[in-house]
DNA sequence: TCATGTAGCGCTCAGCTGGTC
DNA sequence: AGACCAGCTGAGCGCTACATG
């Protein structure tokens, strides 16, 4: 009468194990959750039964009886963007270390889709959600009335008093880039990414202007801001081509690394050398940056740290701790100098 | 007595809605699942109550009562590899179109981790799992006794009679690349990726040898196979540097695009021009390929199609259809010619 | 025709029985 | 006889289906 697990219909239940072991269901439950409460003799019998039947407890039923869910939702804008994927990976790592798992969802920058996903996650009664808002400029209000009051932590987005958040200081990152370029003697600088509708880019531009002012230079004179329509290589290339029509700057600071790769293509196509004619600085320091044809100087976001903080905030937040204080963690980016801005730098690292 | 959803403790239950609406729980359930069975007047009342309470049905409880889960697990080797991410995205898209959601898990090429993830997915009672096996050479046997007999579909891995699978013909892809290079007049070809432990690479190499033979050329004479230790840009660069020590080939066919980028770096560092001195062909046609400094000729995997087939197979498989016939879908790759092998080609596309 | 009541999905936990020393 | 421990029983988690009114 032994039924091979692989050929059964429907999953094995606790009760099946109990029957085979000749004990009550509660005893099986106990050997799984409180082994010390059950006599070693019985325990062995039950464990054998579990093994021969290939029993895997139904997590949904467990959660229904009050156990905390071990699933954490992660909603990102764009699963294909290298930066978001690296971030997702870091988050996954941090979440895993806490014994939970990530359910990765892609909002594709669509507000409705984001809402649908949050509802879905609430319906799944996940433990909480990490959310990289889909809107360039969503009001924090947007997340005030979450479906099923799902605990969330906002990524790279300041949620005001109502939510926890982990952000990286974009203003400071912009300043970092500009100060580096000024230090190299460049004063005719372009910022590629002056797209009006992306908050991160706007903040980086603000940091850039601030750094120029702090150095006693008028941004209107020394910083040309160029809009981009998207955030990919092509967009960067087009924008840089446009920029070159009105003169060659000393340096181009790009809103992200993909744009920087595009700028590189435009410059070399125009017969210009990087960094001799024009220096380039990117942003994000994605994996590709260090291995680009000319290794790219970039502003590195502290992804691993971001993941850890976000995971920890969410776990605290969802711990059921009644009076939860919403916290905001702000992390600092870091300048990584490579040969796209400074020929003296080694190719590696 | 109206409790604002955002300030409640614990999620709203069906019963809360029923109380507020002054009906029985069954009626609320009906207005959600079988609206036609409930009187319009009552329906409005219930719907109002649902809205004011912000009620989101507990999906776990639903599944417990027999509903099919709408979660599909996706286990991949490496969430940071561009190719896997593009594949994951395609799968997600296909799964979403079927009204389900993906739970993305990262096995990181680790067998134990893969097993733990499959058990976790079984415990979550997901509808099924899509699995890109973590082993270079796992026996299909490995997946014979799955925890909780989780329905699975194998990706890019032939599971024999015991599982459904969707694969792309790597042998044919290898041949495609070689025939293209032969057509350009190249006969001293290197295959970069002769790593002995990656099945995909072995199959591509096999296709390459076959194509040479079919053209009446002895592979031992015309094809130099170079091992790589990994699958990243650095690995490709190192392998290509090593290769150049023993002479410059007409063309390099790489096991994937990242290796090809690395080979490109090695060639240009050595003062060689692509494609004039050496042609390069990659594999996978990742997003980056078309925008590399010299746009890369590559073998494109039909990712979208792979996603659709895999999702469909899994849905069929998990439909509970008793006598399920395991099916194997084999897709054909496609040659995308760009300027890394043929200067006459436009930069775009 | 429409709403109600109830059983039960798989599991856990508090409370209990009954056998031992 | 009282203390104790192993294991059993049953209610209930949130929801749906089905048989009634």
């Amino acid at each position: 009468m032994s039924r091979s697990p692989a050929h059964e219909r429907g999953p094995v239940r606790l009760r099946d194990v109990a029957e085979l072991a000749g004990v009550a269901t509660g005893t099986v439950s106990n050997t799984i959750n409180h082994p010390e409460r059950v006599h070693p003799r019985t325990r062995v019998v039950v464990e054998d039964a579990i093994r021969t039947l290939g029993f895997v407890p139904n997590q949904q039923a467990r959660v229904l009886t009050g156990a905390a869910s071990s699933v954490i939702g992660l909603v990102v804008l764009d699963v294909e963007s290298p930066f978001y994927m690296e971030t997702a990976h870091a988050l996954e790592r941090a979440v895993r270390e806490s014994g939970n798992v990530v359910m990765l969802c892609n909002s594709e920058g669509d507000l409705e889709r984001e809402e649908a996903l949050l509802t879905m996650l609430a319906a799944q009664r996940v433990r909480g959600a990490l959310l990289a808002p889909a809107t360039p400029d969503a009001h924090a209000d947007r997340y005030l009335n979450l479906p099923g009051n799902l605990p969330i932590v906002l990524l790279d987005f300041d949620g005001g008093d109502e939510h926890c958040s982990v952000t990286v200081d974009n203003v400071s990152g912009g300043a970092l880039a500009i100060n580096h370029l000024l230090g190299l003697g460049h004063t005719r600088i372009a910022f590629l990414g002056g797209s009006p509708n992306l908050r991160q880019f706007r903040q980086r531009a603000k940091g850039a202007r601030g750094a120029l002012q702090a150095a006693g230079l008028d941004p209107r004179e020394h910083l040309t801001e160029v809009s981009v329509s998207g955030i990919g290589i092509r967009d960067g290339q087009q924008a840089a081509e446009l920029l070159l029509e009105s003169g060659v700057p000393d340096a181009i600071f790009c809103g992200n690394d993909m744009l920087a790769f595009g700028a590189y293509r435009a410059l070399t196509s125009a017969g210009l050398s990087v960094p001799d004619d024009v220096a380039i600085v990117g942003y994000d320091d994605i994996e590709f940056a260090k291995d680009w044809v000319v290794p790219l100087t970039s502003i590195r976001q502290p992804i691993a740290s971001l993941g850890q903080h976000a995971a920890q905030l969410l776990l605290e937040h969802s711990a059921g701790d009644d009076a939860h204080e919403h916290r905001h963690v702000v992390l600092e980016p870091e300048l990584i100098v490579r040969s796209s801005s400074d020929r003296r730098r080694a190719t590696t690292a």
Side-chain angles (χ1 to χ4, degrees), chain A:
Chain A
M1 286 282 60
S2 85
R3 314 183 290 171
S4 158
H7 301 92
E8 263 175 80
R9 292 264 45 90
V12 184
R13 296 150 308 167
L14 191 70
R15 198 202 301 170
D16 301 327
V17 177
E19 268 170 34
L20 179 61
V23 296
T25 60
T27 306
V28 179
S29 172
N30 276 333
T31 82
I32 292 172
N33 303 301
H34 311 280
E36 75 286 357
R37 289 190 202 159
V38 41
H39 194 285
R41 207 177 334 109
T42 328
R43 191 157 55 195
V44 173
V45 177
V46 174
E47 278 163 355
D48 274 355
I50 289 177
R51 224 167 298 118
T52 65
L53 290 180
F55 172 65
V56 180
N58 185 331
Q59 188 62 21
Q60 320 231 26
R62 271 184 167 176
V63 168
L64 207 52
T65 69
S69 167
S70 61
V71 179
I72 285 175
L74 171 58
V75 181
V76 296
L77 286 106
D78 179 3
V79 291
E80 272 184 29
S81 139
F83 174 65
Y84 276 110
M85 278 325 301
E86 288 177 21
T87 307
H89 193 183
L91 287 164
E92 199 243 286
R93 206 182 287 277
V95 164
R96 188 197 326 156
E97 271 162 22
S98 68
N100 300 90
V101 286
V102 163
M103 186 154 169
L104 179 62
C105 309
N106 186 10
S107 68
E108 291 184 336
D110 179 341
L111 283 178
E112 278 185 40
R113 191 158 160 58
E114 180 186 275
E115 200 164 324
L117 286 171
L118 288 173
T119 304
M120 184 278 289
L121 290 171
Q124 298 288 340
R125 297 296 191 268
V126 299
R127 174 133 184 201
L130 299 165
L131 177 61
T135 36
D137 276 305
H139 291 286
D141 309 3
R142 177 169 163 63
Y143 302 107
L144 277 188
N145 253 307
L146 288 166
N149 59 32
L150 184 67
I152 65 170
V153 170
L154 296 170
L155 301 173
D156 213 11
F157 184 92
D158 187 344
D161 288 343
E162 298 302 325
H163 294 291
C164 288
S165 67
V166 184
T167 54
V168 181
D169 190 337
N170 285 301
V171 176
S172 141
L176 229 42
I178 296 302
N179 287 332
H180 169 62
L181 292 172
L182 290 175
L184 293 168
H186 304 311
T187 51
R188 285 163 40 244
I189 301 175
F191 175 70
L192 209 157
S195 157
N197 54 351
L198 281 171
R199 185 179 27 83
Q200 282 93 340
F201 286 0
R202 275 208 316 272
Q203 294 174 341
R204 289 165 199 177
K206 185 179 166 192
R209 287 191 300 266
L212 285 168
Q213 275 167 337
L217 300 172
D218 185 346
R220 280 167 303 190
E221 223 170 285
H222 296 271
L223 191 74
T224 313
E225 298 193 27
V226 189
S227 278
V228 292
S229 48
I231 56 167
I233 296 184
R234 299 294 173 95
D235 306 299
Q237 185 170 359
Q238 282 166 15
E241 280 164 1
L242 212 69
L243 169 71
L244 291 178
E245 284 177 11
S246 50
V248 179
D250 294 343
I252 305 182
F253 169 36
C254 299
N256 74 26
D257 290 341
M258 302 296 274
L259 294 175
F261 298 149
Y264 176 87
R265 293 190 78 192
L267 291 171
T268 50
S269 300
L272 295 163
S273 153
V274 175
D276 296 330
D277 298 319
V278 182
I280 299 187
V281 174
Y283 208 109
D284 289 343
D285 191 29
I286 62 176
E287 272 293 305
F288 258 97
K290 68 175 190 304
D291 292 322
W292 187 250
V293 194
V294 171
L296 183 68
T297 293
S298 193
I299 306 297
R300 176 182 294 173
Q301 309 234 43
I303 289 185
S305 174
L306 186 147
Q308 283 156 9
H309 280 99
Q312 202 199 325
L313 280 184
L314 186 58
L315 292 180
E316 281 176 21
H317 185 4
S318 61
D321 181 2
D322 261 29
H324 170 80
E325 280 267 335
H326 292 294
R327 291 204 280 138
H328 303 287
V329 176
V330 180
L331 302 171
E332 285 302 315
E334 178 190 2
L335 171 72
I336 305 293
V337 180
R338 299 205 185 86
S339 26
S340 76
S341 67
D342 190 349
R343 176 160 300 290
R344 294 161 305 178
R345 296 292 166 151
T347 286
T348 43

